[in-house]
Amino acid sequence: MGAVGSKQHARVPKASKLSDVYDDNENSVATRYDTLVSAFKTQFEGEKPKTIARSPGRVNLIGEHIDYEGYSVLPMAIGLDVIVAVSVALKEEGNVEEDEAEATLSIANVDGEKYMPKEFPFDHEQEVDVKSHHWTNYVLCGFKGIFDQLKKQNKLESVLESAFMKRVKKVMVMVDGKVPLGSGLSSSSALNCAVTVALMDAFELSFTKGELSELTCLSERYSGTQSGGMDQAISIMGEKDLAKRIDFNPIGAMDVPLPTNLTFLIGNSCAVSKKAESAHKHYNLRVVECRLAAILMAKHYGEDIEKAKTRVTLREVADLYCNKGDLWTALGAVRKALNEGSYTKKQLENDEGLGDLRKIFDCENNEAFNVVLQKNDTFKLRDRARHVFSEARRVHEFQKICEGQSPRYAVSGPIYEHWCKVIGLEPDVGVASDDPTKDFGHPMYGMGKEDALAKLMHLSHESCKTQYECSCDELDELVDAFMSAGALGARLTGAGWGGCVVAVCESDIAEEILADVKKSFYEKRFQSGVANIADETNLLFKTAPSAGAAILHYDDEKGVIV
Ligand code: GLA
């Protein structure tokens, strides 16, 4: 069972009015949908959409790069989304010519100049061409994921043999995206999820939110990134006014109410983070490093080397050997099990006895890992594992504080005191420089709720920057700009290496902060042409938890909603 408040067994809602989904002005939203529908009709020669679905981007408040290690994260869905219109043309019965013609999957975008249309065969077994990073790759991921899910449920054959599927002539897909690309707000997952939901509905299938979250997480890996499931899960399961703690294995989404006197702000660093293109030296390399760290930790605990080599996540190892997953114990163990600095491939293969790394990562069948091992010779393990365990702890603390627990108890409290006793320190005296507890920051005695949440965000950014090395100069500069403007806390959000910063502030000074950051960070970028002033509202804005995926039926006479 997932956590209390989980919505994984529910189905994606069918919205009955635009205000169920959007906070924005209804007229401008309705106009956007009308544009989608008319682009659809133009592209597909008068055909009308059968289904329309939307799925949002997200901002992660805390818990970076730990979803693929099995730890919970704490994001919220944002108002910016991807909308997708789909229709399925069927072959005319008895029409021999049509019967023999190859069925197609035809994909287009409202902004056809920037995002060129592409046609694929209607074949769920085709491969996604990861070497050419075309935007339609994510549509193909969504398409393939539906059939993978059917296979998992032992329904693939019966669905493929159904009268409906056998008559498919052409699947038409029209997309409009409002989530800025490469911004760390998860435009790719919003696209994958919106497409998956729209196709599911158009194919007359029905999956639960949990199934959709898991299938889209797996299907997005066809694009070449070995990402965890956070982005897809929050895009599908997000809800208005609530952040969510997303759990994995099993998937679940627990409601986390945010303090009402705080406002979250998003700023784009203007450094584009192309997750799929740079995966081998950034994202996928971190996944490999964490897995190697898990293997060496299992070995440290005396596991037979062949068994240790089957370990996949740090959580798996911590749950087994570190006092049933106690994160303080795990953090202490990291220092004993893993060397400081980097390991070379040779050291890992020979000195640590892991043998051919390519075998561990099944490189013959996994091109993403194959490229990582080809292009990298050094792997940092201790720092990466320290980040993962300390960040997992921060998520827990952030949630507890949002739920009303006193920061003293949630952040330091008895566990901190117990740990200090174990390692022989006086809790109030401070922490020695090699004390593992310093990864959690100094105790937050006497801190108010708002300051403690902000401090956790600050510690998260520091850990991303120094231990996980997924920040960049522009992100650090933007974090500083928010802090100098009076934000309580700020941190990179999403994968990093570019993209966005999320900041938190007292609501009554949000506008002032935005004006200040505009002056200190963006004005010089507008002048130099790094950023376009016309995009201002998409670069720097206030955000609040928004609705997750929804299906909207199109009625040709009444417009989008029936
Ligand atoms: C990307 C991935 C997520 C997650 C974040 C980092 O957004 O898609 O699964 O790993 O990076 O927290």
Side-chain angles (χ1 to χ4, degrees), residues 58 60 63-68 227-231 275 283 494-495:
R58 60 97 190 93
N60 190 19
E64 225 59 86
H65 287 280
I66 59 172
D67 56 349
Y68 49 83
S227 48
M230 164 171 72
D231 307 347
K275 206 164 70 179
Y283 196 93

Side-chain angles (χ1 to χ4, degrees), residues 313-326:
T313 64
L314 284 161
R315 178 169 184 180
E316 205 181 322
V317 176
D319 283 355
L320 275 173
Y321 300 113
C322 301
N323 197 10
K324 296 200 183 110
D326 175 60

Side-chain angles (χ1 to χ4, degrees), residues 98-109:
E98 283 201 345
D99 264 354
E100 284 170 3
E102 194 187 27
T104 55
L105 169 66
S106 187
I107 307 163
N109 195 298

